Amino acid sequence: AEISNRAIQVVDDDDDGTLVVFPPGPTELARRKILRSDLLRAFGVDDHHLDRTPPKPPPTKRRAHPERKQRRRLPRSDSDPNFAVGFLKDVAWYEDQIAHVERLEARAPSFGRLTSRLRFDLSRLAPHPLYEHQALAADAALRRRSVALCTGTASGKSLAYNIPTVEFASANPGRCVALYLYPTKALAQDQLQKMRRTFDCAALAHVTVATLDGDVSFGERRDVVESPPSILLTNPDMLHYTILPNGGYRAALLSSLRLVVVDEAHSYVGAFGAHVACVLRRLRRLCPRDLVFFCASATIANPLAHARALLGVEDVVVVDKDTSPRNEKAVVVWNPPLLRSTEAAKEAASSDEAGAKDLVAARVVAPPELKKKKKKGDGPSSKDIVAVAPLEEKKKKETKDARSWRHRLVYDLASDDERAPDEEGLLTVDERARAEKAEESRREVLEAFLEKLPHGDPDGEGAVTFAARRSAIFETARVFATLAKAKVRCICFARTRKLVELVLSYAKDLVDASLEAKICAYRGGYDKAERRRIEEGLFGGSLVGVVATCALELGVDVGDLDATVHLGHPGSIASLWQQAGRAGRRPKSQSAAIVVCWDSPLDQQFARCGSRLLNRPVEAAALDLGSNEAVLRSHLLCAAFERPLDRRADVDLFFQGGESSSSSSSSLTKAASFSFEECVSHLRRRGRLRALEDGTFGAHPTVKKPAKDVDLRLVDPESFQVIDDEADRPMDDVPYSRAFFELYEGAIYLHQAKPFLITKLDLGNFTARAKALPTCNYRTAARDVTDVDPTKTLESWRKDVSTGYVHVRTDVWGYKKLDRRTGAVLSLHTVTLPALEFDTRGTWIDVPKEAVDAVGDLYAAIHAASHAILAVAPLFVLGADVSDVQSEHAHPQQKRTRPARVVVYDARPGGVGVADTIFRRIDAVLTQALDLLEDCPCGARSGCPSCLFSPSCSAYNLRLDKVGAAIILRTILARRRPPREEDDDGAFVVGPDESPRDDDDDDTPRRKVR
């Protein structure tokens, strides 16, 4: 290394060529540290390898130079061993917000060795010993077996699949041997730069890397086809739209393909996962040889089943023991402090549209089975009612609705009705197994929920008094700003773009002007140059903190961080560990993950029961290709366009494997053949397929590029550009579906926490003009309404239940100005905008008149019944994700008259098959939903997190009537369920089916279940 005044150059001794150029540091010592760190990183070595270098002699004591700036050290507190916990406890504004601290102890690494022989020197690619899981996974891939590697963040998964890739490239120089699939373009670009540095520094010049995505120009695409790289980095969308349908791409890139890497495999769930599973099957049928698949995933509960369902491959080697080192980490559950009564009166008057609904009151009754005899001196017995009410409304009569619009949560006595008897035969074996797992999970949540309920009678009046809590947004900003002031490098995660900007805005108000430039936001919508600048700043250390959406949850390398802050529980334990893994990668360092709870029922449950919930196993990845018949039909048409369908080969490829592989072989083959014939017949009836002379099925000549009509993910076809009036240049992109909620005229739009006033929304040119404001003491929130109405009935059963097409219409009709600090409503305004609407598949149930007359708040009861149906839907559609199916939600302020109807619909235009599956299994669905309500002993009229609360509810679970929902479901089942009489072959008729109808008087389709 030749050290000059400008830079450090790493020179190749053989040809005197410059390999790497590093920028200068402030001193020679700093430059040497940068060189060492970057060289290790360039060789694909993570920072944990630094811990394995030989021990150095203790440094000699030196006197500090009087003019040298001393490094600022983080204040430490002796009250807690973790730096972040102790530091936050010492700040002046700490008010016992820490509800729980879960400590993860450090873990030593475990090393392994490859048993396979390689054509290249492994020490050039991996200068240090391999972790045991890296060696096991690489060995399996080298033996040409598909692999599912499921380990934590920063465990070296990239090196594990790079080893077999380099081996295949060494055996086939000049050929494209590996296809790397990433879920996002940003992740592919990040990996591209790292791989090029790795292979260049390892002297593996024959291994070339290139990307192929939407940002690649047509000239660069032509170069990829003419000179195929050894490794092609792309995404499922590009594979679906461009590579598979195009013969030129297929010949150049797939003819020599050996390995397919599916990175972040845990993200392929629900309808999106079903689409990607079909794309991978189409890839397999077009490749001339069997492929080796390598799934790299975060830790999930079902790695083998998920890999089989995603790939359609039975022989998968699972490596799920993480042997990489782990540093100490503290997971802090941070509950915002209770407000004083005067502050509560101000803040409770307005609802937080971002989702921070205040938990103001709760009335709790112990369930009957938990009753104990009260002894003298004990706490309240089950006969006592522990009521939680606002200070000023402690004795006020309860409203009919369990929770008013001011966010009160009232627990009342449960219904005394006996549980309906279990209907034998309603569930299949797989459905019953999933139901048992779901019931066990709900029981754990409920036990934890009841365990932490408040007890006692401090006021002597049978009540425990709570007030509203401080805004979680502001509390998150304060934690983030405090860490930034102490030079603690951190990422703050928020779910939406608007929350990201709000947190950053509040945080910049709390820091000095010198620190404002060192914290920023990272989210979708920014242009590529701005995103790269933020990534480089965070990686290089010029940024202290970033507030981000889940874009940084995936494997983008953002350097060494000390802490993560989370606005609300991410929704799953797996996502929490994935986000928290962004910090604590330096050897022998400490890190912290601080989860700031919303004042909503679900997050407050997390605050009460943090230890039990954090120690629960990670969730399973839900993917079921067989239940998504609409997805299968669309991709069968795409496959027929690429190459005619062959009955024998394609039945095995598209309709076997995955979760259903536990079934017997003969029954599985028969069911798969039937499903294949059904899909082919459906496409032939609609003129999309035609039978060929050799017995195969090809796309009809009128079908042109069917892949263009199949969207893998719900992506808006258009987006609005936000143009800065002063600079007259685009500064942001907003998806079409969100534009009406954020870019109406008069809206306050935030960009890097700077307020802009939207002055004009041009619907014709898809642009919005924004005027920069020096300051703004208010924010805006859209006022909207969504209606779901059936438009065409395709099938009905016993008049009450129907399935068909529904029209989903959302109207943004106004907005309100809210005080930036308190959230109080300042003024109301109206706007005129087109409706956001689409057609999809749905299933709806008309509520009988006797049930309408029996319930109090009809909309609350219908809302709760919809929640119950959505809660049990995964039992029947394994791949049902919360983003795939939705229902109408009753808002607390809703006064419009709506039909007495329970409706669930597919959230994607055109449908994904979930609503139709619910119709086919309607008896079982309704029975399981009723059991869910009647079995839960929470004693809550409004339900609880184990039975009714849903994290995806747009009305924040604020208008639910559990007793009314049970009445509706019980009435529908009583009217629809005929006497259980056996037919002549010993089967029961339990619900509709799509099997061919018999030519008898009753043309209603039915299915026989034994």
Side-chain angles (χ1 to χ4, degrees):
E2 297 178 359
I3 300 178
S4 65
N5 293 330
R6 292 190 175 185
I8 300 174
Q9 296 182 355
V10 182
V11 181
D12 191 339
D13 282 340
D14 294 334
D15 58 5
D16 293 331
T18 301
L19 295 177
V20 187
V21 178
F22 297 102
T27 63
E28 178 179 338
L29 178 61
R31 288 198 297 270
R32 292 183 181 275
K33 288 182 177 180
I34 293 173
L35 173 63
R36 179 170 180 260
S37 175
D38 285 350
L39 277 174
L40 287 171
R41 198 175 285 121
F43 273 91
V45 183
D46 58 41
D47 291 341
H48 288 298
H49 288 102
L50 296 175
D51 195 32
R52 294 175 226 152
T53 55
K56 297 180 180 180
T60 57
K61 293 184 178 181
R62 297 180 180 179
R63 250 185 336 185
H65 194 281
E67 297 180 1
R68 182 176 297 171
K69 185 178 179 180
Q70 298 298 315
R71 180 183 176 186
R72 180 177 179 179
R73 296 185 178 274
L74 183 69
R76 287 293 303 270
S77 171
D78 296 333
S79 60
D80 196 279
N82 185 275
F83 74 95
V85 178
F87 174 56
L88 290 173
K89 281 184 176 179
D90 286 345
V91 295
W93 49 270
Y94 180 70
E95 302 176 44
D96 293 327
Q97 289 100 322
I98 296 179
H100 175 72
V101 178
E102 190 76 16
R103 304 186 188 279
L104 304 180
E105 300 298 330
R107 180 183 63 207
S110 176
F111 303 108
R113 298 185 63 182
L114 284 179
T115 59
S116 304
R117 299 184 63 181
L118 302 176
R119 290 179 173 84
F120 67 98
D121 184 4
L122 180 60
S123 63
R124 292 189 295 174
L125 187 63
H128 294 278
L130 297 176
Y131 301 133
E132 185 178 350
H133 67 263
Q134 290 175 324
L136 290 174
D139 260 331
L142 289 168
R143 294 195 300 269
R144 304 196 63 79
R145 297 185 67 187
S146 295
V147 180
L149 177 59
C150 301
T151 53
T153 307
S155 58
K157 291 188 285 287
S158 301
L159 179 59
Y161 57 70
N162 280 339
I163 292 173
T165 298
V166 174
E167 173 65 14
F168 295 150
S170 301
N172 301 272
R175 301 290 187 91
C176 181
V177 298
L179 189 69
Y180 286 15
L181 294 179
Y182 297 98
T184 64
K185 291 185 291 186
L187 184 54
Q189 290 294 332
D190 177 74
Q191 294 295 321
L192 173 68
Q193 302 303 324
K194 292 171 64 176
M195 283 188 212
R196 284 179 173 172
R197 290 197 303 266
T198 299
F199 297 143
D200 287 347
C201 293
L204 297 171
H206 62 283
V207 183
T208 56
V209 190
T211 58
L212 185 63
D213 55 36
D215 292 340
V216 176
S217 65
F218 286 101
E220 292 172 317
R221 295 184 188 187
R222 186 169 54 251
D223 295 339
V224 168
V225 173
E226 294 175 354
S227 301
S230 304
I231 308 172
L232 181 66
L233 279 58
T234 184
N235 51 64
D237 309 81
M238 203 68 182
L239 184 61
H240 164 66
Y241 291 119
T242 304
I243 298 176
L244 296 181
N246 191 302
Y249 283 104
R250 294 201 302 264
L253 303 176
L254 305 185
S255 59
S256 302
L257 197 62
R258 299 289 193 278
L259 177 69
V260 177
V261 174
V262 184
D263 201 18
E264 306 293 342
H266 61 278
S267 63
Y268 299 116
V269 295
F272 176 52
H275 278 292
V276 175
C278 287
V279 171
L280 292 175
R281 284 158 172 79
R282 287 163 50 198
L283 171 66
R284 288 177 55 198
R285 71 194 295 269
L286 295 177
C287 289
R289 60 179 55 81
D290 290 337
L291 298 175
V292 177
F293 286 92
F294 196 116
C295 288
S297 168
T299 306
I300 56 177
N302 58 338
L304 178 60
H306 184 61
R308 285 176 172 174
L310 182 63
L311 308 175
V313 176
E314 288 295 316
D315 182 21
V316 179
V317 176
V318 174
V319 180
D320 56 358
K321 182 181 178 182
D322 193 340
T323 57
S324 62
R326 184 182 69 189
N327 294 320
E328 294 181 13
K329 186 184 291 289
V331 181
V332 182
V333 181
W334 186 279
N335 206 13
L338 301 168
L339 295 174
R340 299 179 180 87
S341 58
T342 54
E343 297 177 33
K346 294 179 181 179
E347 292 206 3
S350 62
S351 61
D352 193 339
E353 61 88 30
K357 295 302 179 181
D358 295 328
L359 178 65
V360 177
R363 180 174 178 174
V364 184
V365 178
E369 58 269 32
L370 297 182
K371 293 181 180 179
K372 296 180 180 179
K373 292 183 179 180
K374 185 177 180 181
K375 297 181 180 180
K376 188 174 182 179
D378 287 348
S381 70
S382 60
K383 295 182 180 179
D384 300 325
I385 294 179
V386 183
V388 186
L391 284 169
E392 64 276 11
E393 295 184 359
K394 188 186 303 180
K395 298 182 179 180
K396 185 176 179 179
K397 185 178 179 181
E398 295 171 4
T399 59
K400 182 181 294 185
D401 187 74
R403 283 162 297 179
S404 72
W405 70 275
R406 295 183 64 178
H407 318 155
R408 290 197 304 273
L409 174 62
V410 180
Y411 289 90
D412 208 344
L413 290 173
S415 172
D416 293 329
D417 296 333
E418 296 180 358
R419 175 186 173 187
D422 186 22
E423 298 290 341
E424 294 294 337
L426 281 177
L427 298 182
T428 64
V429 175
D430 291 339
E431 291 169 352
R432 187 170 295 280
R434 292 197 291 268
E436 291 174 356
K437 290 182 180 179
E439 184 178 355
E440 181 181 354
S441 177
R442 285 196 297 267
R443 190 183 302 115
E444 291 178 2
V445 173
L446 178 68
E447 289 174 359
F449 177 73
L450 294 174
E451 195 175 82
K452 297 292 185 177
L453 288 175
H455 294 285
D457 190 8
D459 298 332
E461 300 179 4
V464 178
T465 303
F466 287 154
R469 293 187 179 274
R470 184 177 293 140
S471 167
I473 304 175
F474 179 74
E475 196 75 2
T476 302
R478 188 149 64 166
V479 172
F480 176 71
T482 302
L483 294 175
K485 290 178 186 177
K487 300 298 187 293
V488 178
R489 303 186 67 239
C490 61
I491 285 183
C492 176
F493 289 100
R495 290 192 179 185
T496 66
R497 296 182 179 189
K498 189 166 187 177
L499 288 176
V500 166
E501 296 289 356
L502 284 174
V503 170
L504 180 63
S505 175
Y506 290 139
K508 287 195 171 184
D509 290 344
L510 298 172
V511 300
D512 299 332
S514 60
L515 196 57
E516 284 189 29
K518 296 185 178 182
I519 58 175
C520 67
Y522 183 98
R523 58 170 176 79
Y526 297 157
D527 59 47
K528 184 166 60 174
E530 187 170 10
R531 288 199 306 270
R532 297 292 174 267
R533 178 183 59 80
I534 296 171
E535 291 168 4
E536 291 171 1
L538 192 57
F539 185 85
S542 61
L543 291 177
V544 177
V546 168
V547 188
T549 56
C550 61
L552 284 179
E553 178 182 332
L554 301 178
V556 177
D557 192 352
V558 290
D560 298 324
L561 303 175
D562 301 308
T564 57
V565 184
H566 313 258
L567 176 52
H569 190 279
S572 69
I573 297 298
S575 293
L576 176 59
W577 295 136
Q578 184 79 354
Q579 293 178 2
R582 298 288 101 194
R585 299 190 179 189
R586 288 196 309 274
K588 296 183 179 180
S589 65
Q590 290 182 343
S591 64
I594 304 165
V595 184
V596 182
C597 297
W598 289 107
D599 211 357
S600 65
L602 288 171
D603 273 37
Q604 286 305 302
Q605 178 218 6
F606 182 63
R608 289 190 297 268
C609 323
S611 178
R612 293 187 62 163
L613 296 183
L614 285 171
N615 285 294
R616 292 179 63 193
V618 294
E619 298 81 4
L623 174 60
D624 184 19
L625 184 58
S627 298
N628 289 277
E629 200 166 304
V631 174
L632 276 167
R633 285 198 296 261
S634 63
H635 284 279
L636 282 176
L637 179 60
C638 296
F641 179 81
E642 294 153 5
R643 193 178 73 186
L645 295 174
D646 180 82
R647 181 181 283 104
R648 181 185 305 175
D650 291 323
V651 164
D652 294 339
L653 187 62
F654 283 94
F655 293 91
Q656 294 192 25
E659 293 280 1
S660 58
S661 60
S662 58
S663 305
S664 63
S665 176
S666 59
S667 61
L668 180 62
T669 303
K670 183 177 179 181
S673 300
F674 176 76
S675 300
F676 177 82
E677 296 296 339
E678 282 286 299
C679 291
V680 170
S681 298
H682 176 89
L683 293 171
R684 291 184 66 188
R685 287 195 301 269
R686 282 156 178 77
R688 310 291 283 171
L689 284 183
R690 61 172 180 166
L692 302 180
E693 294 180 356
D694 57 358
T696 60
F697 301 93
H700 197 274
T702 58
V703 175
K704 304 295 183 184
K705 296 182 179 179
K708 299 294 183 183
D709 300 325
V710 181
D711 291 329
L712 301 191
R713 36 187 141 200
L714 194 58
V715 179
D716 293 301
E718 298 287 348
S719 61
F720 281 77
Q721 278 193 331
V722 183
I723 300 176
D724 185 353
D725 270 343
E726 184 176 350
D728 196 26
R729 63 173 180 82
M731 64 176 183
D732 220 338
D733 281 327
V734 177
Y736 187 91
S737 60
R738 294 301 309 164
F740 293 173
F741 294 89
E742 300 179 10
L743 301 181
Y744 46 85
E745 295 180 5
I748 296 299
Y749 186 78
L750 297 176
H751 181 88
Q752 291 294 351
K754 298 177 182 177
F756 290 81
L757 176 66
I758 301 299
T759 58
K760 183 180 180 181
L761 180 63
D762 190 341
L763 300 177
N765 296 318
F766 300 106
T767 59
R769 308 292 298 191
K771 178 183 178 181
L773 301 177
T775 58
C776 186
N777 60 359
Y778 69 92
R779 59 186 176 90
T780 54
R783 308 175 74 187
D784 63 279
V785 60
T786 298
D787 291 333
V788 184
D789 296 302
T791 56
K792 183 179 180 181
T793 301
L794 298 179
E795 207 169 335
S796 296
W797 196 52
R798 299 188 186 278
K799 298 182 180 179
D800 295 329
V801 183
S802 303
T803 186
Y805 289 100
V806 297
H807 186 72
V808 183
R809 176 187 174 106
T810 299
D811 288 286
V812 178
W813 56 273
Y815 67 96
K816 50 189 174 183
K817 291 183 178 180
L818 305 173
D819 187 277
R820 186 168 173 270
R821 289 292 184 185
T822 66
V825 177
L826 303 178
S827 59
L828 302 176
H829 305 265
T830 59
V831 295
T832 302
L833 291 171
L836 294 168
E837 46 195 341
F838 64 90
D839 293 296
T840 186
R841 289 293 300 272
T843 292
W844 57 93
I845 307 169
D846 294 322
V847 180
K849 186 178 184 302
E850 53 266 34
V852 173
D853 298 335
V855 300
D857 188 340
L858 177 61
Y859 296 140
I862 292 176
H863 190 193
S866 302
H867 273 221
I869 292 174
L870 294 181
V872 301
L875 302 181
F876 306 94
V877 187
L878 183 62
D881 189 63
V882 292
S883 61
D884 295 334
V885 61
Q886 274 296 336
S887 68
E888 280 191 307
H889 297 285
H891 286 260
Q893 304 92 336
Q894 179 176 319
K895 296 181 180 179
R896 300 176 302 111
T897 301
R898 293 291 297 157
R901 181 171 56 218
V902 179
V903 57
V904 293
Y905 62 93
D906 294 342
R908 289 169 174 253
V912 293
V914 178
D916 185 68
T917 302
I918 290 176
F919 174 74
R920 303 294 155 202
R921 304 287 286 130
I922 191 62
D923 246 5
V925 170
L926 295 181
T927 300
Q928 290 299 308
L930 180 59
D931 287 349
L932 171 66
L933 299 177
E934 294 185 333
D935 287 355
C936 184
C938 65
R941 189 179 185 91
S942 300
C944 73
S946 67
C947 59
L948 280 185
F949 292 166
S950 169
S952 62
C953 179
S954 61
Y956 311 110
N957 303 295
L958 288 176
R959 192 176 182 182
L960 297 169
D961 185 354
K962 176 180 174 180
V963 176
I967 293 174
I968 291 176
L969 295 177
R970 197 180 300 114
T971 305
I972 294 172
L973 284 171
R975 291 185 59 178
R976 296 183 60 259
R977 184 173 292 157
R980 293 178 55 83
E981 297 180 358
E982 293 189 7
D983 60 8
D984 53 3
D985 64 351
F988 297 106
V989 177
V990 298
D993 189 37
E994 289 181 316
S995 56
R997 305 184 180 186
D998 298 326
D999 294 327
D1000 53 10
D1001 295 336
D1002 185 8
D1003 61 350
T1004 303
R1006 301 181 181 181
R1007 173 165 54 191
K1008 296 178 180 180
V1009 179
R1010 300 185 183 278

